[in-house]
Amino acid sequence: FNWQVPREVTSRLEEVLKINEIQGMALTRQGKLYGAVIILMLNSKSLEEKQALETFLYQASIAIHRRQLETELVNAKERAEESDKIKTSFLANMSHEIRTPMNGILGFAQLLANENLNREETREYLNAIDSNGKLLISLIDDIIDISKIETGHVKIYPDKIHLNHFMADVFQNFITDSVKADKKEVRFSLETSLPNDDCLIEADLMRLRQIINNLISNAIKFTEKGFVKVGYTVEKPSIITFYVCDSGIGIMKEKQDMIFERFVQADLSITRKYGGSGLGLAISKGLVELMDGRIWVESEFQKGSSFYFSLPYRQIKEQITQKIDHHTEGKIKLTEKTVLVVEDDKFSFKYLEAILKRYEVNILHAVNGAEAVEMCMKNSNISLILMDIQLPNLSGYDATRQIRAIHKDIPIIAQTANAFDEDKQKCLEAGCNEYLAKPIAINTLISILAKYLF
């Protein structure tokens, strides 16, 4: 009937069974076909009691339909209960992950109020506040990113990347002296495939860094001894595969597909040894797929894990400039340079002012966009502008456009708490040369100063 059996075989069966006619009746319910009943007639006489048979088949369809609904309802209930369990565990874990660094920040801030602290204690407490603050920012970024991925608001912006410099930078930012001291029994290594003078590619720099950061962070966290290996290979002309391998705790086979899901971790128990929000791999998977790639894991429990992701890329043939060492604090004086800081938040201004004073820069301060435009009209010697975006009176976008009409070549650096990709694009379209997302790292600001002022 469905052509799975050769016609000559079915013809012979009809002869042996003396089949004269075939009647087919569908089993349907609410427009859905569940199957069919095939009746083989032994004579040519029309089927009697056809109405009774149709009634029977109709009842059979209802029974099958009801059974399927019951099965689907049970499955939906089980999925809902499992989802509720996962989300409840996730929310409890998130509360822990938020309150723990907040406890460190607020606790050590109170301890700093003690006037009897010595220099070593002060430095220790400040390091604790800095470390916990970075943890909290990372968690907030993860929550924002997973929300943006779910709602389809993440966009990919290609950048030119010197791949070997990029990988070395990512690796060194993670494998610091403190990490090596904490993981004394772990060997760290970086592997690259392309030569230094032929590894300029086009890809989304920020998202690529985010994915690799997530994978390295996990590898370090879950590895107490052995190795952590980071690198990439080029297997096809336009496909590059990145990998982060470790000899850590590994992942059980039945958990390997789950770990890329939202709100899921390999260990959801409250007694688990390792912390984390459980969003890193879900974010990484979402970003890789947005970049038309794929991500997967190969792991053996208690023996280690290897995470891979492959991405399409475009290789660029251009002259590559070497990176500049920007550790110049105390060596360069910029007394002839003037920087306009457009910032309405007094604490943010004080922070930027403290960094700029190290280079003896002349500092101008505007608290809104209109004031910034007026200062630019009156001062032709401004060397660089640090422009906040969310400002009273006149926004940073509009202020930048008006300043561009007066000074076409002055470097304008957006510095904003709006950390979405589209915000960066808006800043560049308004006329900004660079974009800095708050909180701004000292080294990042020094790099900007080096690029435009040194």
Side-chain angles (χ1 to χ4, degrees):
F1 186 73
N2 58 7
W3 306 105
Q4 290 181 350
V5 180
R7 181 62 185 164
E8 57 270 19
V9 176
T10 58
S11 297
R12 181 60 183 151
L13 282 172
E14 290 174 8
E15 292 176 12
V16 171
L17 297 175
K18 299 180 180 178
I19 296 169
N20 183 269
E21 188 180 349
I22 298 175
Q23 294 269 355
M25 294 187 181
L27 292 170
T28 62
R29 180 66 178 163
Q30 295 183 349
K32 187 173 183 179
L33 177 66
Y34 288 99
V37 173
I38 306 302
I39 302 170
L40 306 179
M41 308 295 296
L42 298 181
N43 56 58
S44 58
K45 187 178 179 180
S46 298
L47 180 65
E48 297 178 358
E49 304 297 340
K50 187 174 182 179
Q51 188 174 2
L53 182 57
E54 287 177 343
T55 301
F56 167 75
L57 294 179
Y58 178 72
Q59 295 298 324
S61 299
I62 292 174
I64 294 171
H65 179 66
R66 183 184 295 119
R67 178 59 181 163
Q68 185 182 45
L69 289 178
E70 289 173 355
T71 302
E72 289 176 354
L73 192 61
V74 170
N75 291 339
K77 180 174 179 290
E78 290 175 351
R79 287 196 301 270
E81 289 174 346
E82 180 65 21
S83 177
D84 186 61
K85 178 182 175 183
I86 290 172
K87 286 182 179 178
T88 299
S89 179
F90 170 77
L91 290 173
N93 179 46
M94 289 298 288
S95 176
H96 173 269
E97 293 296 321
I98 291 171
R99 288 176 179 274
T100 298
M102 281 304 301
N103 184 62
I105 293 169
L106 297 176
F108 283 107
Q110 292 177 65
L111 290 174
L112 281 172
N114 187 340
E115 297 179 358
N116 297 322
L117 294 176
N118 59 42
R119 194 177 190 85
E120 186 177 340
E121 288 173 325
T122 301
R123 185 183 295 109
E124 181 185 353
Y125 295 169
L126 287 172
N127 286 339
I129 291 173
D130 179 67
S131 177
N132 282 285
K134 288 175 180 176
L135 280 175
L136 198 56
I137 283 291
S138 177
L139 181 61
I140 292 169
D141 286 343
D142 283 350
I143 294 171
I144 292 172
D145 279 336
I146 200 69
S147 175
K148 287 168 60 184
I149 290 170
E150 285 184 336
T151 55
H153 287 155
V154 176
K155 294 181 181 177
I156 301 302
Y157 298 100
D159 295 293
K160 293 178 182 178
I161 305 171
H162 184 290
L163 196 54
N164 290 353
H165 287 169
F166 165 78
M167 291 297 291
D169 186 49
V170 172
F171 185 78
Q172 289 168 9
N173 282 343
F174 263 94
I175 315 305
T176 59
D177 290 338
S178 60
V179 169
K180 291 177 181 177
D182 188 48
K183 302 281 183 174
K184 293 180 180 178
E185 297 185 66
V186 180
R187 302 184 311 278
F188 298 99
S189 61
L190 173 66
E191 301 175 344
T192 57
S193 293
L194 295 173
N196 272 338
D197 58 354
D198 192 26
C199 64
L200 195 64
I201 69 168
E202 190 174 77
D204 191 310
L205 174 67
M206 187 176 76
R207 295 308 180 183
L208 182 58
R209 180 184 294 273
Q210 188 175 0
I211 297 165
I212 298 175
N213 281 354
N214 282 337
L215 298 182
I216 295 177
S217 177
N218 280 348
I220 294 172
K221 179 165 61 175
F222 296 119
T223 305
E224 298 298 333
K225 60 173 64 177
F227 66 88
V228 171
K229 182 171 60 177
V230 184
Y232 71 88
T233 58
V234 179
E235 299 171 1
K236 298 178 181 178
S238 59
I239 300 292
I240 190 165
T241 300
F242 296 89
Y243 57 84
V244 177
C245 306
D246 65 68
S247 58
I249 62 174
I251 307 164
M252 289 183 286
K253 192 75 175 176
E254 61 270 21
K255 300 278 189 179
Q256 290 179 19
D257 291 334
M258 296 170 54
I259 60 172
F260 291 105
E261 299 299 321
R262 298 166 180 84
F263 312 124
V264 175
Q265 291 174 293
D267 183 4
L268 288 170
S269 67
I270 60 172
T271 57
R272 60 195 176 93
K273 180 180 178 181
Y274 306 96
S277 66
L279 292 175
L281 290 177
I283 291 170
S284 297
K285 180 175 184 287
L287 294 177
V288 167
E289 290 175 350
L290 277 170
M291 296 165 75
D292 297 322
R294 71 183 189 96
I295 187 169
W296 69 98
V297 61
E298 296 173 3
S299 182
E300 190 172 346
F301 188 56
Q302 299 296 353
K303 291 190 176 180
S305 303
S306 295
F307 283 86
Y308 302 89
F309 67 96
S310 58
L311 298 174
Y313 76 101
R314 189 170 72 88
Q315 196 158 10
I316 304 170
K317 300 294 182 182
E318 286 186 11
Q319 186 68 30
I320 297 172
T321 56
Q322 296 296 318
K323 295 178 71 176
I324 302 171
D325 181 10
H326 300 318
H327 299 286
T328 56
E329 185 177 339
K331 299 178 182 178
I332 295 179
K333 304 301 181 186
L334 303 172
T335 52
E336 77 285 1
K337 302 291 185 180
T338 300
V339 174
L340 170 59
V341 180
V342 188
E343 177 61 73
D344 63 325
D345 180 73
K346 65 178 182 179
F347 296 110
S348 296
F349 171 70
K350 286 292 183 185
Y351 173 66
L352 296 173
E353 183 184 38
I355 298 172
L356 293 170
K357 280 183 175 179
R358 298 178 181 182
Y359 299 94
E360 299 183 9
V361 174
N362 298 308
I363 302 170
L364 298 177
H365 181 208
V367 296
N368 59 58
E371 190 176 339
V373 174
E374 186 179 351
M375 285 187 174
C376 286
M377 293 176 68
K378 293 179 178 178
N379 295 275
S380 59
N381 62 335
I382 295 175
S383 309
L384 181 139
I385 301 172
L386 293 173
M387 176 71 73
D388 190 24
I389 296 302
Q390 287 192 344
L391 294 167
N393 192 303
L394 186 69
S395 76
Y397 297 125
D398 293 330
T400 298
R401 292 187 185 98
Q402 291 187 27
I403 292 169
R404 274 281 169 257
I406 306 167
H407 301 289
K408 295 189 181 300
D409 299 325
I410 187 171
I412 302 177
I413 315 302
Q415 44 102 17
T416 173
N418 298 336
F420 292 162
D421 295 335
E422 52 267 33
D423 296 314
K424 175 182 178 181
Q425 198 63 26
K426 284 180 182 178
C427 293
L428 298 178
E429 289 171 357
C432 294
N433 299 79
E434 305 272 355
Y435 167 91
L436 297 176
K438 295 179 181 179
I440 300 170
I442 293 177
N443 288 341
T444 304
L445 182 56
I446 291 174
S447 296
I448 293 294
L449 296 177
K451 182 175 181 179
Y452 293 101
L453 299 182
F454 289 4

